[in-house]
Amino acid sequence: MTETTEFADIPTTTLADLLGRDRVMDMGVRPLWGPVPRVAGPAFTVRCPPGDNLMLHAAIHRAPAGSVIVVESGDLDHALAGGNVCAVAQRRGIAGFVLDGLIRDLAEVREAAFPVFARGVIPIPGTKKAVVPLGGGVRCGGVRVEAGDMVVADEEGVVAVPAARRADVLVAARAKLAKEAAETLDAWEAAHRARIDEILAEGGFEG
Protein backbone atom coordinates (compact mmCIF):
# COMPACT_ATOMS: atom_id res chain seq x y z
CA MET A 1 0.00 0.00 0.00
CA THR A 2 1.44 3.36 -1.01
CA GLU A 3 1.72 6.47 1.12
CA THR A 4 -1.19 8.01 -0.74
CA THR A 5 -3.56 5.15 0.08
CA GLU A 6 -2.39 3.72 3.41
CA PHE A 7 -4.81 5.94 5.40
CA ALA A 8 -7.76 5.34 3.05
CA ASP A 9 -9.35 2.79 5.39
CA ILE A 10 -8.77 4.81 8.59
CA PRO A 11 -11.88 6.77 9.68
CA THR A 12 -11.42 10.34 10.83
CA THR A 13 -13.13 9.37 14.10
CA THR A 14 -10.29 6.97 14.86
CA LEU A 15 -7.68 9.59 14.02
CA ALA A 16 -9.47 12.21 16.11
CA ASP A 17 -9.44 9.86 19.12
CA LEU A 18 -5.68 9.45 18.73
CA LEU A 19 -4.66 13.00 17.83
CA GLY A 20 -7.10 15.22 19.71
CA ARG A 21 -9.01 18.38 18.86
CA ASP A 22 -6.12 20.50 17.57
CA ARG A 23 -5.61 18.27 14.51
CA VAL A 24 -9.31 18.25 13.54
CA MET A 25 -10.63 21.02 11.31
CA ASP A 26 -13.70 22.91 12.47
CA MET A 27 -17.13 21.77 11.36
CA GLY A 28 -17.41 24.52 8.75
CA VAL A 29 -15.03 22.66 6.46
CA ARG A 30 -17.37 19.90 5.31
CA PRO A 31 -18.14 17.76 2.26
CA LEU A 32 -20.16 19.69 -0.30
CA TRP A 33 -21.90 16.62 -1.72
CA GLY A 34 -22.61 13.13 -0.48
CA PRO A 35 -22.17 10.38 0.11
CA VAL A 36 -18.55 11.40 -0.27
CA PRO A 37 -15.76 8.82 -0.38
CA ARG A 38 -12.98 9.06 2.17
CA VAL A 39 -10.06 11.12 0.88
CA ALA A 40 -6.53 10.49 2.11
CA GLY A 41 -3.25 11.83 0.83
CA PRO A 42 -0.30 14.10 1.53
CA ALA A 43 -1.13 17.80 1.71
CA PHE A 44 -0.16 20.10 -1.14
CA THR A 45 -0.51 23.45 0.56
CA VAL A 46 -1.75 26.68 -1.01
CA ARG A 47 -2.41 30.14 0.39
CA CYS A 48 -4.88 32.43 -1.37
CA PRO A 49 -5.43 35.96 -0.05
CA PRO A 50 -9.11 36.88 0.35
CA GLY A 51 -10.72 37.64 -3.00
CA ASP A 52 -8.02 35.94 -5.07
CA ASN A 53 -7.74 32.36 -6.31
CA LEU A 54 -4.65 32.47 -8.57
CA MET A 55 -2.51 30.08 -6.56
CA LEU A 56 -5.14 27.34 -6.36
CA HIS A 57 -5.47 27.57 -10.12
CA ALA A 58 -1.69 27.27 -10.34
CA ALA A 59 -1.60 24.37 -7.89
CA ILE A 60 -3.81 22.04 -9.92
CA HIS A 61 -1.06 21.89 -12.56
CA ARG A 62 1.71 21.33 -10.00
CA ALA A 63 0.32 19.10 -7.25
CA PRO A 64 1.40 15.45 -7.56
CA ALA A 65 -1.20 12.78 -8.26
CA GLY A 66 -2.63 11.41 -5.04
CA SER A 67 -2.19 14.62 -3.10
CA VAL A 68 -4.89 16.58 -1.30
CA ILE A 69 -4.80 20.29 -2.12
CA VAL A 70 -5.28 22.23 1.13
CA VAL A 71 -6.03 25.94 0.82
CA GLU A 72 -5.88 28.74 3.36
CA SER A 73 -8.23 31.55 2.38
CA GLY A 74 -11.03 32.32 4.79
CA ASP A 75 -12.83 34.31 2.09
CA LEU A 76 -16.61 33.90 2.19
CA ASP A 77 -17.34 36.36 -0.62
CA HIS A 78 -15.68 34.72 -3.65
CA ALA A 79 -15.25 31.23 -5.05
CA LEU A 80 -11.79 29.69 -5.05
CA ALA A 81 -12.62 27.22 -7.82
CA GLY A 82 -15.34 26.06 -10.16
CA GLY A 83 -16.26 23.05 -12.23
CA ASN A 84 -13.41 23.22 -14.74
CA VAL A 85 -10.72 23.64 -12.08
CA CYS A 86 -12.09 20.63 -10.20
CA ALA A 87 -12.31 18.63 -13.42
CA VAL A 88 -8.68 19.33 -14.31
CA ALA A 89 -7.58 18.46 -10.77
CA GLN A 90 -9.53 15.22 -10.97
CA ARG A 91 -8.05 14.39 -14.38
CA ARG A 92 -4.56 14.94 -13.01
CA GLY A 93 -5.18 12.44 -10.20
CA ILE A 94 -5.50 14.88 -7.31
CA ALA A 95 -7.41 13.13 -4.52
CA GLY A 96 -9.53 16.10 -3.51
CA PHE A 97 -9.72 19.67 -2.25
CA VAL A 98 -9.84 20.82 1.37
CA LEU A 99 -10.57 24.53 1.25
CA ASP A 100 -11.02 27.16 3.93
CA GLY A 101 -13.31 28.99 1.54
CA LEU A 102 -15.96 28.50 -1.12
CA ILE A 103 -16.41 27.05 -4.60
CA ARG A 104 -19.00 27.37 -7.36
CA ASP A 105 -20.49 25.03 -10.01
CA LEU A 106 -21.41 22.53 -7.31
CA ALA A 107 -23.67 20.53 -9.64
CA GLU A 108 -20.75 19.90 -11.99
CA VAL A 109 -18.47 18.92 -9.13
CA ARG A 110 -21.08 16.59 -7.68
CA GLU A 111 -21.78 14.98 -11.06
CA ALA A 112 -18.05 14.37 -11.56
CA ALA A 113 -17.84 12.95 -8.00
CA PHE A 114 -14.76 15.03 -7.20
CA PRO A 115 -14.36 15.28 -3.42
CA VAL A 116 -14.44 18.87 -2.17
CA PHE A 117 -14.45 19.79 1.52
CA ALA A 118 -15.10 23.50 1.94
CA ARG A 119 -17.26 26.07 3.69
CA GLY A 120 -19.92 26.30 0.99
CA VAL A 121 -20.74 27.73 -2.40
CA ILE A 122 -21.10 31.15 -3.98
CA PRO A 123 -21.49 32.01 -7.66
CA ILE A 124 -18.98 34.89 -7.88
CA PRO A 125 -15.33 34.03 -8.65
CA GLY A 126 -12.26 35.65 -7.18
CA THR A 127 -9.57 37.51 -9.10
CA LYS A 128 -6.24 36.08 -10.27
CA LYS A 129 -3.52 38.53 -9.28
CA ALA A 130 -1.80 37.55 -6.03
CA VAL A 131 1.36 35.48 -6.52
CA VAL A 132 2.18 33.56 -3.32
CA PRO A 133 4.71 30.71 -2.89
CA LEU A 134 3.25 27.20 -2.89
CA GLY A 135 4.10 24.58 -0.29
CA GLY A 136 4.33 26.72 2.83
CA GLY A 137 2.53 26.16 6.10
CA VAL A 138 -1.16 27.08 5.99
CA ARG A 139 -4.04 27.33 8.41
CA CYS A 140 -7.20 25.60 7.24
CA GLY A 141 -10.26 25.07 9.39
CA GLY A 142 -8.29 26.23 12.41
CA VAL A 143 -5.56 23.59 11.93
CA ARG A 144 -1.96 24.27 10.96
CA VAL A 145 -1.09 22.10 7.97
CA GLU A 146 2.38 21.65 6.52
CA ALA A 147 3.15 20.32 3.07
CA GLY A 148 3.36 16.53 3.29
CA ASP A 149 1.12 16.15 6.33
CA MET A 150 -1.35 13.31 5.80
CA VAL A 151 -4.84 14.70 5.31
CA VAL A 152 -7.82 12.40 5.84
CA ALA A 153 -11.33 13.65 5.11
CA ASP A 154 -14.68 11.90 5.17
CA GLU A 155 -18.29 12.63 6.09
CA GLU A 156 -17.28 13.03 9.75
CA GLY A 157 -14.72 15.77 9.16
CA VAL A 158 -11.10 16.50 8.22
CA VAL A 159 -7.98 15.50 10.17
CA ALA A 160 -4.37 16.48 9.46
CA VAL A 161 -1.77 13.97 10.64
CA PRO A 162 1.68 15.55 11.07
CA ALA A 163 4.15 14.01 8.63
CA ALA A 164 6.60 13.21 11.45
CA ARG A 165 3.94 11.16 13.24
CA ARG A 166 2.49 9.42 10.19
CA ALA A 167 3.96 5.96 10.77
CA ASP A 168 3.22 5.87 14.51
CA VAL A 169 -0.33 7.13 14.06
CA LEU A 170 -1.00 4.58 11.33
CA VAL A 171 0.15 1.71 13.56
CA ALA A 172 -1.92 2.99 16.49
CA ALA A 173 -4.98 3.49 14.30
CA ARG A 174 -4.80 -0.01 12.86
CA ALA A 175 -4.42 -1.48 16.35
CA LYS A 176 -7.40 0.49 17.61
CA LEU A 177 -9.58 -0.60 14.70
CA ALA A 178 -8.56 -4.25 15.16
CA LYS A 179 -9.42 -4.11 18.86
CA GLU A 180 -12.81 -2.55 18.14
CA ALA A 181 -13.57 -5.12 15.43
CA ALA A 182 -12.87 -7.97 17.85
CA GLU A 183 -15.19 -6.59 20.54
CA THR A 184 -18.87 -7.57 20.50
CA LEU A 185 -21.56 -5.01 21.21
CA ASP A 186 -22.47 -6.94 24.37
CA ALA A 187 -18.90 -6.66 25.64
CA TRP A 188 -18.73 -2.98 24.71
CA GLU A 189 -22.05 -2.29 26.44
CA ALA A 190 -20.94 -4.00 29.65
CA ALA A 191 -17.64 -2.13 29.78
CA HIS A 192 -19.33 1.14 28.85
CA ARG A 193 -21.97 0.86 31.56
CA ALA A 194 -19.37 -0.03 34.19
CA ARG A 195 -17.30 3.00 33.22
CA ILE A 196 -20.26 5.39 33.19
CA ASP A 197 -21.57 4.07 36.51
CA GLU A 198 -18.12 4.52 38.05
CA ILE A 199 -17.93 8.14 36.89
CA LEU A 200 -21.46 8.82 38.14
CA ALA A 201 -20.65 7.32 41.54
CA GLU A 202 -17.49 9.40 41.83
CA GLY A 203 -19.62 12.48 41.09
CA GLY A 204 -22.12 11.64 43.79
CA PHE A 205 -24.93 10.64 41.46
CA GLU A 206 -27.62 8.44 42.98
CA GLY A 207 -30.15 6.77 40.75
Side-chain angles (χ1 to χ4, degrees), residues 77-146:
D77 293 314
H78 306 86
L80 286 164
N84 285 343
V85 168
C86 292
V88 170
Q90 186 177 42
R91 186 161 64 179
R92 295 200 64 254
I94 291 165
F97 286 170
V98 173
L99 314 175
D100 201 327
L102 311 173
I103 69 161
R104 67 180 195 166
D105 302 327
L106 178 58
E108 294 177 30
V109 177
R110 181 174 55 236
E111 184 176 357
F114 181 67
V116 176
F117 298 77
R119 293 196 181 275
V121 296
I122 198 168
I124 184 75
T127 60
K128 296 171 181 60
K129 297 178 180 179
V131 176
V132 181
L134 295 169
V138 299
R139 194 160 190 85
C140 184
V143 174
R144 179 75 174 180
V145 181
E146 303 291 343

